[in-house]
Amino acid sequence: MSSVDVLWRRADGTGHDACSLTRSDAGWQVHGATVWAHDRKPAWLSYHMTSDQAWNVQAARLRGIVGGAPVDLSIRRRADGLWGMNGRGLPGSESADDLELCVTPACRLFTLRRAMGRPGDEVDLQTVSLHRENWGLQPMARTLRRVDATHWRLTDPDGQDQAMAVDQYGFATECDEIWFREVTD
């Protein structure tokens, strides 16, 4: 595999996301960009996520404009195990194995690739989630269950349930009834 390219559209018609998955000597990289309407204004972000060979996310970078304001975030797993953003550590994040970006279905690829078990298997996840409301990181516990060969469910502690259909690479073909894949190369 030299690269896999994906294009998604939002079900509400307000945006698209496109990315490429490539392999590097250190692991895996996803480069992409997403555009959508935010408070009736155009919003866009470019993103870059890197992982090791075992699909453990090591870092992410997001840049763009949302609501007329610039966004420039650098998120990285530090040597002490804490996740940090723009140089500041997030206390309580050392047990988090996953990073979820609120702006793209591509971020779940890494988790799904590591959890490719059999239908019926469940995995308890400790994640660090980026929230669009305040562009802050927050630790979060979740449960990921493989329903069948191509379907997964992600459940938050408050019971919020998100459904995903995925392809052979681990990319979502349908995500939370919000994102739908249009093209894969």
Side-chain angles (χ1 to χ4, degrees), residues 2-183:
S2 59
S3 75
V4 176
D5 303 316
V6 181
L7 173 67
W8 292 277
R9 69 171 164 77
R10 286 183 56 109
D12 61 9
T14 64
H16 280 83
D17 188 301
C19 75
S20 291
L21 168 67
T22 57
R23 188 174 194 145
S24 70
D25 291 339
W28 300 92
Q29 298 182 38
V30 170
H31 301 272
T34 186
V35 295
W36 73 99
H38 177 81
D39 293 335
R40 302 181 57 105
K41 294 180 181 176
W44 65 270
L45 287 172
S46 64
Y47 57 87
H48 177 98
M49 297 179 75
T50 59
S51 78
D52 61 17
Q53 294 287 348
W55 298 95
N56 297 297
V57 174
Q58 303 298 308
R61 181 73 190 225
L62 292 94
R63 290 182 173 163
I65 302 290
V66 178
V71 174
D72 189 356
L73 305 173
S74 178
I75 304 167
R76 130 173 351 270
R77 183 123 198 204
R78 301 179 346 175
D80 63 4
L82 285 176
W83 286 90
M85 184 166 65
N86 294 348
R88 295 177 36 207
L90 175 63
S93 66
E94 56 276 340
S95 63
D97 292 323
D98 291 288
L99 173 64
E100 284 205 21
L101 305 178
C102 61
V103 297
T104 176
C107 71
R108 293 197 178 139
L109 167 77
F110 301 99
T111 304
L112 293 170
R113 290 298 302 214
R114 281 199 333 276
M116 292 299 269
R118 294 184 304 260
D121 287 355
E122 279 190 7
V123 177
D124 290 326
L125 303 173
Q126 296 296 320
T127 67
V128 174
S129 286
L130 177 67
H131 292 276
R132 229 181 355 195
E133 296 79 32
N134 63 6
W135 298 110
L137 292 176
Q138 176 182 358
M140 182 181 292
R142 294 183 162 184
T143 301
L144 180 65
R145 182 171 57 89
R146 187 166 191 174
V147 176
D148 59 32
T150 59
H151 292 87
W152 297 77
R153 293 200 85 71
L154 187 64
T155 306
D156 294 343
D158 64 4
Q160 184 179 8
D161 202 32
Q162 300 170 351
M164 293 173 284
V166 300
D167 65 14
Q168 71 271 25
Y169 303 108
F171 276 118
T173 58
E174 182 179 327
C175 189
D176 307 333
E177 297 183 4
I178 298 171
W179 292 102
F180 293 89
R181 185 176 68 195
E182 288 191 329
V183 177

